[in-house]
Amino acid sequence: MNVQTQLSQRQKAAVIVRLLLDQDDDDGAFGLERLDSDSQTLLAEAMAGMELVDRQTRDAVIDEFCDSLEAVGVTFPGDIDGTLRILGERLSLDSTDRLRRLAALTGRGDPWARIAALPKEAVLTLAAQEPIEIVALMLSKLPVGRASDAFSSLPMERAQAVAQAMSLTGGVSAQALHRVGLILLQSADALPRPAIDTPAADRVGAILNFASADLRDSVLQALDDSDQVFAGGVRKAIFIFAHIPARILPRDIPRVVREVEQPMLIRALLATGEANETTSRFILENLSQRMADGLREEMEEAGKVSAKDSEEAMNEVIAAIRRLEEAGELALIQPETEE
């Protein structure tokens, strides 16, 4: 039987999809939703126009499909977003950004994917500067968390106007949304970009995390005298051993302890000063009784530790916490007020 004369290519695709759907376990592995809307519509129309396909025709379609697969050497996504997903982090951020911008501006990419990936500060700036109607559409398209951050940053009157405008976004066409996305991308591209991404206060705070206590206090005092606002930002960015009870959840303490070599941990736990001793008690109280007792015995045997060794050990504990944070294994509690 010559299958080519009986079924069109679209009908053959419908047969394959029907067979795959029978085997799908409802976990999304088949991925039909990854087809664009037009392809889904054409496929559904083809399936709606078919009834019975005999076994011989089914087997012939499967054989032809398998032969086609075996003839394929390599496949490509066919769009810039899929290509960038394959390349992952192998491209520089500048190259990735330039490719996404070019694809969006030439109509070959989704501008909203790039808008969703904009830095938080850029989204906040767009929310504050763009016309109310455009901001309403932007917040309607952004993930809820990012939209909430931007909305919460708006002045009361502007937030009310944006909320009212969002109630009118239901009838916006896909073409209009695409055009608005392009407008926002152009506005985002016009925003000034700092050569150094990390805010200055965060950078200074990160450096002072590992400075000696005397140097840290001296620098903070000098910053207080010259720029209290900047000094407040630096204080908020600083995270030292004494901050652990306020910044680390009790359940994460065993994970932190496992990340630090025991001799170094002992020296940190022996640090003097009221704040450091409070941290040591917090750590021991959130370990198992057996582990805490073992550490207390080693602390008694170690005796007194020099200030320099304690400082080094406390910095090592903080470095371990930062490693866990970067790996996504714990999250720091953010301070509510400046220290």
Side-chain angles (χ1 to χ4, degrees):
M1 180 179 292
N2 186 352
V3 179
Q4 296 285 351
T5 61
Q6 287 194 344
L7 298 179
S8 67
Q9 290 298 107
R10 192 175 301 164
Q11 289 173 321
K12 293 176 189 177
V15 171
I16 296 298
V17 168
R18 182 70 181 84
L19 293 171
L20 290 174
L21 288 173
D22 284 342
Q23 301 299 318
D24 195 17
D25 56 5
D26 296 326
D27 65 353
F30 179 41
L32 187 60
E33 70 280 355
R34 286 179 288 181
L35 293 176
D36 60 54
S37 178
D38 290 342
S39 297
Q40 291 183 18
T41 300
L42 292 173
L43 179 61
E45 289 175 348
M47 295 179 73
M50 300 172 68
E51 294 183 358
L52 179 67
V53 174
D54 62 71
R55 182 172 298 179
Q56 184 179 4
T57 302
R58 179 203 64 184
D59 292 344
V61 170
I62 293 173
D63 288 341
E64 182 181 336
F65 179 68
C66 292
D67 289 342
S68 298
L69 286 181
E70 290 177 358
V72 173
V74 64
T75 62
F76 292 90
D79 58 58
I80 193 64
D81 292 322
T83 300
L84 292 175
R85 281 195 295 271
I86 292 176
L87 294 175
E89 298 179 355
R90 292 176 176 84
L91 291 179
S92 69
L93 291 177
D94 284 344
S95 296
T96 300
D97 189 64
R98 190 179 303 115
L99 287 169
R100 287 193 187 279
R101 181 170 65 252
L102 179 62
L105 293 178
T106 56
R108 293 184 291 109
D110 179 11
W112 290 104
R114 184 163 170 258
I115 292 169
L118 288 172
K120 178 180 178 180
E121 294 73 16
V123 173
L124 297 183
T125 302
L126 292 175
Q129 295 181 355
E130 292 298 309
I132 295 294
E133 295 77 9
I134 288 182
V135 174
L137 286 172
M138 180 179 74
L139 298 188
S140 299
K141 286 289 292 182
L142 285 175
V144 174
R146 303 211 70 193
S148 177
D149 287 341
F151 186 78
S152 300
S153 71
L154 298 176
M156 183 68 69
E157 291 185 3
R158 185 172 176 84
Q160 291 172 350
V162 168
Q164 185 175 0
M166 289 179 70
S167 68
L168 306 175
T169 59
V172 177
S173 67
Q175 293 82 358
L177 273 177
H178 187 83
R179 288 195 297 271
V180 170
L182 294 180
I183 291 171
L184 287 169
L185 279 187
Q186 291 173 340
S187 297
D189 289 337
L191 296 176
R193 295 188 179 186
I196 301 176
D197 294 332
T198 309
D202 290 350
R203 294 197 305 275
V204 175
I207 293 170
L208 291 180
N209 279 334
F210 300 100
S212 67
D214 290 342
L215 177 58
R216 183 166 54 243
D217 292 342
S218 174
V219 170
L220 287 173
Q221 183 59 55
L223 291 176
D224 280 331
D225 294 340
S226 61
D227 188 339
Q228 290 188 351
V229 174
F230 181 69
V234 172
R235 289 182 185 278
K236 192 171 183 179
I238 289 175
F239 173 46
I240 59 176
F241 189 76
H243 296 162
I244 287 177
R247 303 290 302 278
I248 301 294
L249 291 171
R251 69 181 184 215
D252 288 328
I253 289 298
R255 185 180 291 113
V256 173
V257 167
R258 288 194 297 269
E259 189 75 11
V260 183
E261 293 184 3
Q262 192 146 313
M264 192 68 74
L265 177 63
I266 296 299
R267 289 199 288 273
L269 293 173
L270 286 169
T272 57
E274 182 178 352
N276 293 332
E277 291 169 3
T278 298
T279 296
S280 297
R281 287 195 297 272
F282 175 78
I283 291 174
L284 293 170
E285 288 169 358
N286 288 289
L287 298 173
S288 68
Q289 187 66 45
R290 182 180 61 82
M291 180 177 289
D293 289 343
L295 290 173
R296 289 189 181 98
E297 290 179 6
E298 291 197 41
M299 290 168 66
E300 290 179 2
E301 294 176 2
K304 189 175 181 179
V305 177
S306 69
K308 180 180 179 181
D309 287 344
S310 291
E311 195 85 47
E312 178 185 358
M314 288 188 291
N315 286 342
E316 180 56 36
V317 174
I318 295 302
I321 291 172
R322 289 298 191 185
R323 289 195 297 271
L324 290 170
E325 181 191 22
E326 290 174 3
E329 297 184 30
L330 65 77
L332 292 179
I333 301 171
Q334 295 303 314
E336 295 182 0
T337 58
E338 295 180 0
E339 301 193 27

